[in-house]
């Protein structure tokens, strides 16, 4: 049965937004005038060009224009998700990752940072969140919308918007800025009100890849591509070492589309420092701070990775990262995702992964974190979900293949040799 | 013969310095008054305590006091290196990683950054470099001293000091600041004069782990331990993407004691962006900049990792990183290194590594980069070097064990499956 039942697939990373000018009616009246000025600025900036290859952009729109409209059109959106075999989705802002002409008002999307004007940032976030909750009201069982929340300048206003967003049905949680600019970093207790609200309302906190200190890079886009995932994930270890997950044991925290390749090393590094292996012996007791468990224990309980288009080399590390901590996503409708060829990508990435683990990473882990109603989704899954057979999987091959690696697990905790999987084979 | 010849071991990461007040006579006369003020400041700061566990520090000094004096006393130093089986060494500043009471004048050591007063920073560096060249004049065949060079504020003064240091016999190359503060990052052409001088004089450029933006961390030392290696390595990809190794094809660049665990992912990430695999297709042509080869090709030609106390999980990645790019070190006399138990550590880490590869990582790669005279060192190696047998090595076991991983190599360039080594076994 397990071998033939189709997969419940939840994309833990999709994007939706309106073309910017269509946000007009969602903007608070006192910011409407500002909004017109912002539209003009944005138009001018787009003409100046940016980090996008123009030729690629032209081809992308020529070939995928209809599907891209699913960034805001819900009927088209469902058609595209169905085509990819994706039953549920966790929706972030910024559907247009190519031209950047669309986008939530006042830059209140993935790129929000401490550099934005606080009033405008919150007005833009509110406009986007209002529209997003409308989008999610269509087939709500499929959609967990993530509210954009600028938490840096005004913590109380942030908590108010989190509460409003939860009431409006945005059960995907919140997106916070990756870069805090001149505001206090996320170890600061001033943000505890935000974490408390998110814990109470069962709203996962997210950072999402995108922002980086680009002013340092000059014209060298390669530096950006090399570092940007690190900047996106960084807030997680600020929160962890500051005891946020000790104080808020039911809070969930995700790093989305930052890759997963670094996560096993991060856990190894943090655990071995905490456990004072040789190289950390000299550190003062301030190292542990308020933590009562090794960092990987908080990671397992509180954190997850929106791993998006998982790479083969990332899947190979899943026993150190934790299988249910890796949430696959198709990044629809971004060109760097797997849409519209997800079925092919899944076969390529997962063909030799055990079926139960695949179920976790493709959907069950996300269903638990975001409270998807699996029963409500069952008929859709039956209709569109690919089967293990479609992915070319065979547990008779896959399970023995990985057995040694599975048993080694986190070798630094199990006292096995880190090369045990190689040794055993 | 290969099985019984002792290893030429070069520690690519040791530390030496005087207790601070003994630098007095090496300081430029015009900075002597400043120096007395600096001594007083330093004393006061030390009393205030820091990130070190006091109890550990006490035990460390009680047990290793004599050996620690080898930080400046050359006879003691040779005795300690001999005990560890280390014939040659690459010497960085800051021998005292525990109390921080010692250290080159004006903070001109590992911790130098853009925040230092430019005049004082250079005066401190000159004082240290003068003393270091004296130290290296004892058994010079064993010692490659690394000159501290503040390159941020005054590039011409930096070039002058590099030239002077090379003339004074410091063939270990130069140490540059990890953090540029408010100065331009290392992609800036203003530093080309420095890279040109280092290429001409065959002086490798180094960054060394230590500095990080600590003001962001509050009291949370865990954040520091998690990030600090990344900050130490970061300048490498700024230089690489900016075409420094395209313009200076004979320049060598090392990241020392930053770990090696990240290097295979860094190369995979940079190469796949450069080669425009799926996720990078949308990026503008500014991505490649002036590069004519994939980043890993520059890494192989120009870069290396001072991998210090290589971990088992790092050695497992050596075919992606490049075996001759990983230089082992004992970090003498730091407590986080392998001294005084290097022989035991080597056996633990290298017992199943092929002998030819071990020769590369333990000494031959460093001998080539730093121009050690292997003939001159031969009698010493004969006397102190451990043999493959001492490390418990047996090529009949080791070579087949790694064969599949070796053949897979950098799978993103060889078009093999990243899990090929597992598949084959």
């Amino acid at each position: 049965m397990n071998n033939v039942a189709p997969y419940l697939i939840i994309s833990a990373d999709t994007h939706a937004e309106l073309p910017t000018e269509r946000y007009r009616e969602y903007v608070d009246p006192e910011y409407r005038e500002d909004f017109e000025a912002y539209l003009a600025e944005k138009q001018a900036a787009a003409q100046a060009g940016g980090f996008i290859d123009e030729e690629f952009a032209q081809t992308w729109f020529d070939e995928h224009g209809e599907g891209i409209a699913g960034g805001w059109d819900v009927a088209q959106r469902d058609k595209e998700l169905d085509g990819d075999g994706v039953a549920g989705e966790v929706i972030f802002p910024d559907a247009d990752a190519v031209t950047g002409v669309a986008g939530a008002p006042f830059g209140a999307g993935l790129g929000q940072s401490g550099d934005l004007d606080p009033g405008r940032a919150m007005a833009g976030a509110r406009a986007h969140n209002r529209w997003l909750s409308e989008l999610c009201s269509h087939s709500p069982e499929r959609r967990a919308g993530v509210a954009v929340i600028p938490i840096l300048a005004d913590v109380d206003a942030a908590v108010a918007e989190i509460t409003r967003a939860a009431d409006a049905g945005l059960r995907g949680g919140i997106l916070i800025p990756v870069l805090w600019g001149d505001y206090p970093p996320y170890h600061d207790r001033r943000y505890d009100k935000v974490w408390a609200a998110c814990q109470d309302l069962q709203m996962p906190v997210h950072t999402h890849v995108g922002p980086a200190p680009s002013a340092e890079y000059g014209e060298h886009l390669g530096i950006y591509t090399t570092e940007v995932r690190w900047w996106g994930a960084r807030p997680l270890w600020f929160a962890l070492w500051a005891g946020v997950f000790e104080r808020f044991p039911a809070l969930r925290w995700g790093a989305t589309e930052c890759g997963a390749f670094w996560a096993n090393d991060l856990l190894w590094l943090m655990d071995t420092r905490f456990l004072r292996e040789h190289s950390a012996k000299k550190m003062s007791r301030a190292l542990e701070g308020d933590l009562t468990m090794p960092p990987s224990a908080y990671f397992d309980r509180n954190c997850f990775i929106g791993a998006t288009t998982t790479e083969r080399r990332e899947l190979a590390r899943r026993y150190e990262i934790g299988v249910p901590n890796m949430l696959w996503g198709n990044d629809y409708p971004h060109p760097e995702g797997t849409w519209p060829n997800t079925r092919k990508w899944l076969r390529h990435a997962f063909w030799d992964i055990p079926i139960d683990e695949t179920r976790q990473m493709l959907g069950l882990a996300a269903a638990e974190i975001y409270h998807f109603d699996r029963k409500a989704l069952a008929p859709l899954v039956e209709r569109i979900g690919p089967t293990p057979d479609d992915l070319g999987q065979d547990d008779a091959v896959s399970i023995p293949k990985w057995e040694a690696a599975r048993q080694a697990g986190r070798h630094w905790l199990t006292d096995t040799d880190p090369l045990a999987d190689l040794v055993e084979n």
Side-chain angles (χ1 to χ4, degrees), chain A:
Chain A
M1 173 58 198
N2 193 34
N3 288 356
V4 295
Y7 280 112
L8 160 63
I9 303 188
I10 295 172
S11 171
D13 185 28
T14 69
H15 298 270
E17 74 186 346
L18 282 173
T20 308
E21 60 171 359
R22 290 169 58 181
Y23 277 106
R24 188 175 283 111
E25 59 182 299
Y26 297 93
V27 173
D28 294 323
E30 63 269 34
Y31 279 94
R32 293 270 165 90
E33 202 171 309
D34 254 26
F35 178 70
E36 302 304 327
Y38 173 78
L39 276 181
E41 285 166 29
K42 199 172 163 67
Q43 204 61 42
Q47 313 248 320
F51 68 93
I52 294 294
D53 182 73
E54 298 296 335
E55 201 178 319
F56 170 80
Q58 194 55 53
T59 312
W60 176 251
F61 280 103
D62 288 350
E63 290 176 5
H64 300 288
E66 198 172 70
I68 291 167
W72 62 88
D73 178 302
V74 74
Q76 185 69 40
R77 189 171 189 88
D78 281 343
K79 190 176 148 196
E80 302 299 334
L81 294 176
D82 289 357
D84 260 11
V86 172
E89 57 167 338
V90 181
I91 312 175
F92 290 85
D94 289 32
D96 172 11
V98 178
T99 66
V101 176
F106 307 124
L110 297 179
Q112 63 165 338
S113 78
D115 295 339
L116 296 182
D117 172 78
R120 284 177 131 204
M122 187 58 87
R126 275 197 300 261
H128 175 73
N129 297 342
R130 283 180 190 124
W131 170 75
L132 182 62
S133 59
E134 283 184 19
L135 182 81
C136 292
S137 69
H138 301 278
S139 309
E141 74 283 2
R142 295 190 83 163
R143 280 178 253 282
V146 180
V148 176
I149 308 285
I151 67 171
L152 297 167
D154 186 338
V155 171
D156 293 321
V159 169
E161 179 60 8
I162 292 168
T163 309
R164 201 199 59 72
D167 286 347
L170 293 180
R171 63 191 162 86
I174 74 169
L175 175 73
I176 64 171
V178 162
L179 303 177
W180 40 76
D182 293 331
Y183 292 97
Y186 293 147
H187 60 69
D188 198 287
R189 293 280 181 126
R190 83 198 302 250
Y191 303 112
D192 272 10
K193 285 182 185 176
V194 173
W195 318 143
C198 287
Q199 175 175 266
D200 292 349
L201 297 165
Q202 302 193 312
M203 299 275 271
V205 174
H206 300 84
T207 56
H208 187 291
V209 76
S214 299
E216 277 196 296
Y217 304 154
E219 73 211 40
H220 307 288
L221 200 49
I223 305 174
Y224 173 82
T225 63
T226 302
E227 294 197 348
V228 65
R229 286 158 192 78
W230 186 87
W231 288 103
R234 189 183 190 220
L236 188 152
W237 59 87
F238 272 67
L240 192 150
W241 283 112
V244 169
F245 307 127
E246 179 71 24
R247 296 197 292 289
F248 304 100
L251 181 68
R252 303 304 288 258
W253 186 295
T256 300
E257 207 185 342
C258 304
F261 60 88
W262 45 270
N264 60 331
D265 286 332
L266 177 75
L267 296 176
W268 162 72
L269 193 60
M270 294 199 299
D271 276 0
T272 49
R273 302 311 104 155
F274 179 85
L275 296 167
R276 296 181 170 270
E277 60 71 64
H278 182 72
S279 82
K281 281 202 179 71
K282 73 178 188 183
M283 292 296 186
S284 95
R285 293 289 142 186
L287 177 63
E288 290 90 347
D290 299 327
L291 304 195
T292 59
M293 311 190 291
S296 65
Y298 295 103
F299 190 82
D300 286 345
R301 185 181 72 186
N302 297 91
C303 304
F304 60 92
I305 298 173
T308 310
T309 56
T310 44
E311 307 260 1
R312 295 276 291 159
R313 61 192 275 125
E314 296 179 315
L315 289 173
R317 302 171 189 181
R318 69 193 181 282
Y319 297 113
E320 291 191 3
I321 299 171
V323 172
N325 299 331
M326 293 172 73
L327 278 54
W328 177 89
N330 70 344
D331 203 19
Y332 171 76
H334 288 178
E336 63 270 33
T338 59
W339 173 76
N341 303 304
T342 290
R343 291 169 196 270
K344 199 184 80 187
W345 279 85
L346 289 180
R347 195 180 164 96
H348 166 73
F350 287 92
W351 69 271
D352 61 349
I353 307 294
I355 294 167
D356 277 343
E357 299 177 10
T358 308
R359 291 198 188 281
Q360 286 285 327
M361 294 185 276
L362 290 186
L364 296 184
E368 185 260 319
I369 291 169
Y370 296 103
H371 307 285
F372 278 90
D373 181 344
R374 286 166 56 187
K375 227 175 231 167
L377 287 171
L380 178 62
V381 169
E382 199 57 46
R383 181 164 63 82
I384 65 169
T387 64
D389 201 41
D390 292 336
L391 268 51
Q393 293 176 318
D394 180 358
D395 268 356
V397 175
S398 304
I399 291 179
K401 179 169 178 174
W402 294 97
E403 186 53 19
R406 193 184 63 74
Q407 283 190 20
R410 289 178 182 149
H411 62 83
W412 60 92
L413 297 176
T414 57
D415 207 30
T416 49
D417 187 280
L419 313 179
D421 54 336
L422 191 75
V423 178
E424 300 291 324
N425 271 281

